[in-house]
Amino acid sequence: MNWEQLLSARRFGSDDSVGSLLSEDRSQFQRDYDRIIFSPAFRRLQNKTQVFPLPGRIFVHNRLTHTLEVASVGRSLGNRLAEFLFSIKEFDEISGINEIGAVVSAACLAHDMGNPPFGHSGESAISNYFSHGNGIHLKNEMSEAEWKDFVYFDGNANAFRLLSHSFNGKRKGGFALTYTTLASIVKYPYESLAADKPKFGFFQSEVMLWLIIAEELGIPSIPGASLIFERHPLVYLVEAADDICYQIMDMEDAFRLGILSYEESLELFMRFHIGSSAETHQYIHKTLSNVTDPNEQISYLRAGIIGKLISACFNEFVKYYDQIMFGSFRGSLMKNLEPQLLEALEKVKEISVSKIYNHRSVVEIEIAGYKIIGTLMEEFCNAILNPDKPLSKKILMLFPDQYRNTSTSTYTKVQSVIDFITGMTDVFALDLYRKIKGINLPEIV
């Protein structure tokens, strides 16, 4: 793969002409960033669960704040890559190399936009509806690949669809983003049929779009494999930014909620400095002695760890640069870090599973997500597949025009329901669930 081809200004929904990567006010990739951040779909992330229930007295991360932090880390990684590329090869300004930070930050903004309400339990609830719920009877009405799209439902593939699909009444090409930004969010560049685990990068409905992108950017397929491709190199930076943020920020949230004590949090964070120089330890302890607020102390340590992980991940990218560009690198940057950092991260994961992801408040929101999304899937799928029934006609009145279609395909009809439900916020999904179940009645204004 080569950067001259990997960085492209071509967009879905535009004509065949390709403009310059740079313009007077914003680069093409900065335009991508702006289109995402000003979109209603992006704003709705503020009301979607990250890990903990949406905040009451203490404000913890939701999908929006997480995404903004990931974009910040991604920009730093992208800017470092641009500096590295300039140092090893002569690039002119038109090449767009100096805009890599903008590409990565835009992709980071978009990486979670396809996730349904209620965190990862929302993804599981959709999958469960088809694998173990009432949706299982639809299996014989779809191809094997179409069926796996739903049984293995993945927010990554859904983000690619949201950003590239032309919904009714919307602009051609979805968000009309550059091919480069779209490719940078495809963490698993293969179809569900090729997945050896429930992770994949695009639905059957978007296969042709991916093939167009891969050809334009020169992203190779794996020899002998059908619809399995190498990653765009910038995916590794987007993935690293996400991994850094969620693993470390979940710890800080847990501390602020009282799930982890100050002593536990301090011990976990100081593990990342084992092996650091005496000067580094002296500076850390001096700062902690000058800052007396425990929240500020933990925030200070968290910031230092994120900075350290950014440097470590970028160093791994440089170390494996040739393999990444050739398409032979496997795994993630985080999994290749030095042993001391890996041990610290493993301890974080251990505590996350034992004390955070299985905390009562987290489990309660997951159970609620299963019930709410499962019910919405059942009601709207039944309605759209049996539109002549009296209740179906009423339920379909609640179905937005942008998701309606005249297709006779069961796959396409069901996918339109998933489009609707995954675009909901937690609050909207809960409110609609209560009304459909008759628990709440609408207010008369």
Side-chain angles (χ1 to χ4, degrees), residues 344-356:
L345 286 167
E346 282 302 315
K347 188 63 178 179
V348 164
K349 291 178 184 178
E350 177 188 325
I351 297 297
S352 295
V353 172
S354 64
K355 291 196 172 184
I356 297 178

Side-chain angles (χ1 to χ4, degrees), residues 32-194:
D32 286 348
Y33 184 98
D34 294 345
R35 288 184 183 187
I36 294 167
I37 207 167
F38 280 97
S39 69
F42 182 77
R43 289 196 296 274
R44 286 196 291 270
L45 294 177
Q46 70 182 308
N47 194 236
K48 287 190 175 185
T49 299
Q50 174 65 15
V51 173
F52 299 104
L54 294 177
R57 181 176 60 87
I58 298 175
F59 198 94
V60 292
H61 287 81
N62 54 36
R63 284 283 178 189
L64 182 67
T65 50
H66 164 73
T67 297
L68 290 170
E69 290 170 353
V70 173
S72 178
V73 172
R75 183 188 62 231
S76 297
L77 287 165
N79 288 342
R80 289 194 182 196
L81 175 56
E83 293 175 4
F84 167 73
L85 293 177
F86 277 123
S87 73
I88 63 172
K89 183 177 179 181
E90 290 294 328
F91 288 97
D92 59 39
E93 188 175 339
I94 306 301
S95 68
I97 290 296
N98 59 331
E99 287 298 318
I100 286 180
V103 179
V104 179
S105 58
C108 287
L109 283 184
H111 83 283
D112 267 354
M113 287 177 66
N115 283 48
F118 305 107
H120 290 296
S121 67
E123 290 177 289
S124 298
I126 292 174
S127 298
N128 183 73
Y129 175 72
F130 297 100
S131 60
H132 298 95
N134 290 337
I136 197 169
H137 74 279
L138 300 174
K139 182 176 182 179
N140 293 333
E141 299 182 34
M142 303 180 199
S143 69
E144 183 183 0
E146 290 173 339
W147 179 247
K148 283 196 171 182
D149 279 358
F150 297 152
V151 173
Y152 288 169
F153 175 82
D154 186 80
N156 293 279
N158 202 48
F160 184 72
R161 173 174 170 80
L162 170 67
L163 295 167
S164 61
H165 183 72
S166 299
F167 293 99
N168 292 338
K170 304 296 183 180
R171 69 188 300 167
K172 185 180 178 182
F175 280 56
L177 300 178
T178 62
Y179 288 9
T180 297
T181 295
L182 284 170
S184 297
I185 72 164
V186 182
K187 189 174 177 181
Y188 311 102
Y190 41 83
E191 62 174 339
S192 59
L193 200 60

Side-chain angles (χ1 to χ4, degrees), residues 3 21 43 64 138 232 238 268 315 318 363-364 403 421:
W3 291 107
L21 284 172
R43 289 196 296 274
L64 182 67
L138 300 174
H232 189 292
V238 175
L268 276 173
N315 290 339
V318 171
V363 173
E364 287 173 346
Y403 302 121
I421 291 175

